[in-house]
């Protein structure tokens, strides 16, 4: 069977809900959510003889890429002698400074759209059970994604956790083609307040479930970020679960 999650008494979400303050928002996730989502989004719903395994891409090294910042000009551009310049000579063009992305207020996500893989799916909320396990989306609906409602909302400063099945007993599921995403691809989260949270993919990696980097994946962020998570890798018929998890890292644009 998959590795057991950390005890909820030492690192799990607090029973009274979301912690106050942005810096502590993902404290309620912490290490407790390691292997909670990761052990519940694929193998437990797959038959022994014909799992619908998704193709997974090789992991790329390094942390999620930070957006490049425009460096200020160090020197003034050299200007031509005005006595020699013709009337058609124009002033050198200067690039406009990039504007910082503004976070969105908290709002419940309603729909996830990923054009690259033709994904258009509604959301359900995910909760932690008494044993400290993250309850997965219902397996009967293959086109449904889940959002961990005690964490950051997509577009809000922090790390929004979005998870979905790779397959079920009967067919491929909502995140069957998640591995096709690459850095630079975009996806959109529609929200209940009518505003869209648009994200760009920074990175994707596949991690073994028994060596899942919870701090890196679930740590609170200082900007609006999102994680898309599903099962990946080989299917273990004895454990009735996949051996790995695929994580897509993204930030708001």
């Amino acid at each position: 069977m998959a590795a057991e999650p950390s005890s909820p008494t030492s690192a799990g979400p607090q029973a009274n809900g979301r912690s106050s303050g942005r810096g502590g928002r993902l404290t309620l996730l912490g290490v407790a959510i390691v292997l909670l989502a990761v052990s519940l989004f694929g193998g437990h719903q797959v038959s022994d003889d014909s799992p619908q395994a998704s193709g997974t891409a090789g992991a790329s090294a390094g942390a999620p890429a930070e957006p490049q910042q425009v460096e200020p000009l160090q020197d003034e551009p050299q200007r031509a002698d005005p006595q020699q310049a013709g009337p058609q000579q124009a002033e050198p063009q200067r690039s406009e400074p990039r504007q910082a992305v503004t976070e969105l207020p908290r709002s419940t996500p309603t729909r996830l759209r990923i054009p690259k893989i033709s994904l258009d799916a509604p959301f359900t909320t995910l909760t932690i059970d008494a044993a400290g396990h993250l309850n997965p989306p219902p397996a009967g609906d293959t086109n449904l994604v889940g959002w961990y409602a005690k964490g950051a909302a997509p577009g809000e400063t922090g790390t929004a956790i979005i998870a979905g099945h790779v397959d079920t007993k009967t067919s491929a599921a909502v995140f069957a083609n998640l591995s096709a995403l690459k850095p630079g691809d975009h996806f959109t989260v529609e929200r209940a307040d009518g505003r869209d949270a648009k994200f760009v993919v920074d990175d994707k990696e596949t991690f073994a479930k028994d060596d899942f980097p919870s701090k890196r994946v679930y740590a609170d962020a200082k900007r609006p970020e999102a994680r898309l998570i599903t099962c990946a890798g080989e299917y273990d018929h004895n454990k009735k679960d996949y051996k790995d998890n695929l994580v897509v890292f993204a930030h708001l644009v």
Side-chain angles (χ1 to χ4, degrees), residues 96-118:
E96 293 294 330
R98 293 176 63 180
Q99 296 182 352
V101 174
T102 302
E103 69 164 316
L104 299 177
R106 185 172 180 81
S107 180
T108 301
T110 58
R111 203 160 197 91
L112 175 64
R113 299 183 188 275
I114 310 179
K116 174 74 174 286
I117 57 176
S118 301

Side-chain angles (χ1 to χ4, degrees), residues 121-183:
F123 274 91
T124 187
T125 56
L126 304 179
T127 58
I128 299 288
D129 65 19
H133 299 146
L134 186 68
N135 295 311
D141 189 342
T142 59
N143 190 47
L144 185 67
V145 292
W147 163 60
Y148 181 63
K150 299 287 186 181
E156 184 182 25
T157 293
T159 304
I161 305 301
I162 300 171
H165 292 289
V166 67
D167 56 22
T168 68
K169 291 181 179 180
T170 58
S171 69
V174 63
F175 275 167
N177 296 317
L178 193 66
S179 63
L181 294 186
K182 297 179 180 179

Side-chain angles (χ1 to χ4, degrees), residues 6 18 24 26 29 56 80 84 126 152 171 189 195 211 237:
S6 301
R18 189 176 175 210
L26 259 285
L29 284 172
T56 56
Q84 297 178 358
L126 304 179
S171 69
V189 176
R195 304 176 71 175
D211 190 26
H237 291 275

